[in-house]
Amino acid sequence: MTRLLVSLALLLGFAVPAQAEGPMLVELFASKNCRACPAAYKTLKQVEAERGDSVMVLTWAVDYWDYLGSKEKMALPESSERQRAYAEHFSLRGPYTPQSVYNGLEQTAGNKPTKVGAAMMKAEMAEPANVRLQSTGKKVVLTGQPEGLADIWWVAYLDADDNMTKMPNPVTSVRQIGPWLGGKAEIDLPACASGCALIVQEAGMGRVLATMRAD
């Protein structure tokens, strides 16, 4: 594992600047009943430590492995729905853990540091998205022109001392603020108890166009 983490650091060190607005969204689909998931937690926490604010790691807990052990208490129905949409988007045979997704552009097993680094590099080479998020107090102004319909998501997660799990930033709730076809939109931010994020993403769990922390 040490050699793999060193390889990951080298890959990330040569990566070009991220092209999406805001930090790169790194999503992990995991379960307490997944034997390979602890290695994925370690890998993505290493990514957080090395990349800092340039990445936003979220863990979506799923319940389809519950039959192998105790119930995954952090699981949300929305997590499985989101992963199924990614499986279709990436033309996969089905969902798996620990799957990791990078700005909706690349996916790989989250417990494989060298593959994680390669997926991040590919995601960072995408053409710039013509989308901007600007915070104005309790509101966020969204501007730009996506290629098609996009969704605006509000995600709450356990951050720092609030996170008593081994998962990096486990998601506790998600809601769709609304669809967006481009132009200017003013978004009233909901209350945030721990960690929160605003995500603008092409419909159908496509490319992530913009992200913003809203803790």
Side-chain angles (χ1 to χ4, degrees):
M1 177 60 72
T2 300
R3 289 184 179 179
L4 291 176
L5 291 176
V6 169
S7 297
L8 173 61
L10 290 173
L11 282 168
L12 297 181
F14 285 101
V16 298
Q19 298 299 303
E21 170 80 355
M24 173 182 285
L25 179 62
V26 179
E27 301 174 83
L28 176 66
F29 294 89
S31 167
K32 65 185 296 183
N33 297 305
C34 160
R35 293 183 179 180
C37 284
Y41 304 156
K42 184 176 181 180
T43 298
L44 295 188
K45 286 179 180 178
Q46 182 76 6
V47 168
E48 277 190 310
E50 294 179 354
R51 295 297 295 268
D53 291 340
S54 68
V55 298
M56 177 163 48
V57 179
L58 297 177
T59 300
W60 299 84
V62 296
D63 63 2
Y64 51 78
W65 294 125
D66 283 3
Y67 72 94
L68 294 177
S70 58
K71 184 177 180 180
E72 173 54 74
K73 296 181 180 179
M74 296 301 299
L76 300 173
E78 294 88 346
S79 298
S80 295
E81 292 171 7
R82 188 174 184 87
Q83 191 179 25
R84 282 195 295 269
Y86 274 136
E88 182 176 350
H89 174 69
F90 289 112
S91 300
L92 303 177
R93 291 195 300 176
Y96 69 93
T97 56
Q99 181 187 24
S100 57
V101 180
Y102 305 85
N103 268 353
L105 293 169
E106 299 290 332
Q107 72 84 36
T108 192
N111 62 323
K112 305 291 186 181
T114 52
K115 291 185 177 181
V116 166
M120 292 185 71
M121 287 184 68
K122 290 181 181 179
E124 288 175 325
M125 293 177 183
E127 291 295 322
N130 185 26
V131 174
R132 294 291 179 269
L133 287 171
Q134 183 178 5
S135 178
T136 60
K138 293 185 178 181
K139 291 180 180 289
V140 169
V141 178
L142 170 62
T143 57
Q145 192 58 54
E147 295 182 1
L149 180 66
D151 294 317
I152 306 171
W153 299 99
W154 177 256
V155 179
Y157 57 92
L158 297 179
D159 186 22
D161 293 340
D162 293 326
N163 184 11
M164 304 302 291
T165 76
K166 295 180 180 180
M167 299 175 176
N169 309 320
V171 173
T172 56
S173 68
V174 58
R175 59 182 273 199
Q176 184 181 8
I177 292 179
W180 182 58
L181 279 169
K184 180 179 179 181
E186 291 189 353
I187 304 168
D188 292 312
L189 295 182
C192 182
S194 183
C196 296
L198 194 65
I199 300 169
V200 183
Q201 186 171 16
E202 292 177 349
M205 295 308 159
R207 178 185 179 185
V208 173
L209 303 174
T211 60
M212 176 182 285
R213 290 184 177 87
D215 302 355

